[in-house]
Structures are given as structure tokens and as C-alpha cells.
Amino acid sequence: DTGVSQNPRHKITKRGQNVTFRCDPISEHNRLYWYRQTLGQGPEFLTYFQNEAQLEKSRLLSDRFSAERPKGSFSTLEIQRTEQGDSAMYLCASSLVRNEKLFFGSGTQLSVL
Amino acid sequence: QQPVQSPQAVILREGEDAVINCSSSKALYSVHWYRQKHGEAPVFLMILLKGGEQKGHEKISASFNEKKQQSSLYLTASQLSYSGTYFCGTEAPGGGADGLTFGKGTHLIIQP
């Protein structure tokens, strides 16, 4: 068990550019979640997958945000046409089933200049 | 809707006790508690699934009052390692979006 891995750890981009983050969950975990965390706030739920199916995406912040989990393994979160307000820590978490503890990755810190 | 945590911050001496509260305006199905240290990922502490359930983990325990839609986290004989930000995450009955809604957190500072 190597834990949840996220890459990159830090991303600096210019406004208007597209960015993609990757999350590798714990291998046997079916559920994968994406959260956003800004300074002084708790994690904010964005979307989640059960295996390869994205079961909830209405809470993605805008249509510039999209996520995939091909083959039910790793997941990617893409932000198109980044804005300064997108600057935040993007956290990925995984769990085996619902109502089990979430294992969080260390996150990707996005800075939009 | 985001649960409300109180207090926002607390400073303790090592060995003192603390209580962190989490309340929701909506009915709750479950409450999760996590601790996050600066620059690190949140780490799971415990889940409470039933109304009135109380769980313990070393010197950290929690209660869940389903009727009052509240949960409390109890830290006894605090240690320096308990410092960090504590978040409660709540889930409504029926699952809904199936994602936890986290409070803003309670900052806990333990001084020697």
C-alpha cells in the first residue's frame, strides 16, 4: 500500500492556459474523489468516481473543469482556460466503499498568475 | 450546506483537554473527522454512522447526536502531536452527491 499519489505537487501557470492533474489511488479502492481546498477552508467536494463511472459531477465548479478515470485506475482532473480564482490545492482521495475512511493524497498546489 | 465548526481556534497546554463541535442545519447520515497538519494531506480520525454513536481512538473520541444534527470530537490529555486543523465532514441521508461536505476547520495549537 503506497497510498494515494498526486502529480505534480506544484503547478504554476498563466491565466488562460489548460492544466491537468493526475491522481493514482490505492490500487484496490473503487471510489475516487476530487476536492479543492483554499486557504483557511475545508476541502470542497468536486466529483467522484466508482470504478470508471463518474457518478457525480454537478458540483464541478464550472464547465471548464472535467475529470476522467479511464479503466477505473488513475484519474485526471483538467481545468481549461484557467483563471486566478482557480488557484487552490486540489486533493484526491480514495476509499474502498462508501462510508469508509478517505485516504487523501498530498495534493497539487495550483497557482494561476 | 457546510457544517459549522466551533471553536475556530483553540490554544492548549500539553495535557489539557479540548472539545471541537460540528453542527449541521440538515439531517445527517454520517460524520467523519479528519486532522490536517500544515502542508500535509488530511488524515482520517473516525467515522460515526449512527445517531448517538460514540467512538474512541486512543485519547481521541467522538459522539454523534443524530437528533441535534451535531457531533463533538474530544481530545483528552492533549499531546504536542495533536496540533493541526480538525475538520468534520458530513453526509446527508440518501447519499446525495456522495461527497462529504467539510466544515471550515478548527485550528488546534498545543503548547509545551
Side-chain angles (χ1 to χ4, degrees):
Chain A
D1 179 358
T2 57
V4 178
S5 176
Q6 289 189 247
N7 288 288
R9 288 295 307 274
H10 303 275
K11 179 70 178 178
I12 300 173
T13 190
K14 292 183 179 179
R15 189 175 52 186
Q17 298 293 307
N18 298 342
V19 293
T20 300
F21 312 138
R22 175 176 171 129
C23 171
D24 287 89
I26 294 172
S27 57
E28 64 268 24
H29 282 186
N30 299 319
R31 291 186 164 231
L32 185 149
Y33 303 80
W34 283 100
Y35 285 85
R36 183 180 80 155
Q37 187 175 26
T38 53
L39 200 61
Q41 300 292 320
E44 178 185 11
F45 171 73
L46 297 178
T47 187
Y48 94 100
F49 294 84
Q50 178 151 331
N51 299 312
E52 67 273 13
Q54 189 175 12
L55 298 185
E56 177 56 53
K57 55 182 178 181
S58 66
R59 287 161 71 174
L60 284 168
L61 299 167
S62 78
D63 58 7
R64 296 184 296 105
F65 287 69
S66 63
E68 295 182 341
R69 192 184 183 194
K71 301 180 183 178
S73 55
F74 71 92
S75 175
T76 57
L77 178 70
E78 181 182 16
I79 308 174
Q80 296 183 330
R81 306 180 302 281
T82 53
E83 302 172 357
Q84 288 186 325
D86 297 333
S87 296
M89 174 72 80
Y90 290 84
L91 293 166
C92 175
S94 70
S95 70
L96 192 56
V97 295
R98 183 189 175 193
N99 283 319
E100 260 208 4
K101 60 184 178 181
L102 299 182
F103 290 83
F104 281 89
S106 296
T108 295
Q109 181 67 53
L110 173 66
S111 297
V112 182
L113 305 178
Chain B
Q1 192 161 356
Q2 189 176 39
V4 176
Q5 288 187 233
S6 63
Q8 290 185 335
V10 58
I11 301 174
L12 297 176
R13 293 282 183 193
E14 200 173 3
E16 293 181 336
D17 301 341
V19 180
I20 299 172
N21 300 303
C22 174
S23 64
S24 174
S25 59
K26 292 187 173 182
L28 298 178
Y29 174 74
S30 68
V31 180
H32 296 221
W33 285 97
Y34 291 80
R35 176 173 60 210
Q36 185 176 32
K37 294 184 181 284
H38 183 68
E40 299 181 8
V43 174
F44 170 81
L45 294 175
M46 64 188 72
I47 296 175
L48 300 106
L49 292 176
K50 298 178 183 178
E53 184 174 2
Q54 191 153 355
K55 280 196 164 186
H57 176 71
E58 297 181 348
K59 295 179 181 177
I60 301 175
S61 61
S63 63
F64 177 22
N65 188 321
E66 191 177 356
K67 287 185 179 179
K68 291 186 177 180
Q69 297 160 192
Q70 292 176 345
S71 177
S72 294
L73 185 71
Y74 307 94
L75 300 106
T76 57
S78 57
Q79 306 169 9
L80 294 175
S81 62
Y82 288 179
S83 291
T85 303
Y86 289 77
F87 294 101
C88 67
T90 59
E91 185 179 5
D98 254 1
L100 294 177
T101 303
F102 286 92
K104 291 187 176 182
T106 295
H107 302 283
L108 178 64
I109 299 172
I110 310 295
Q111 295 178 335

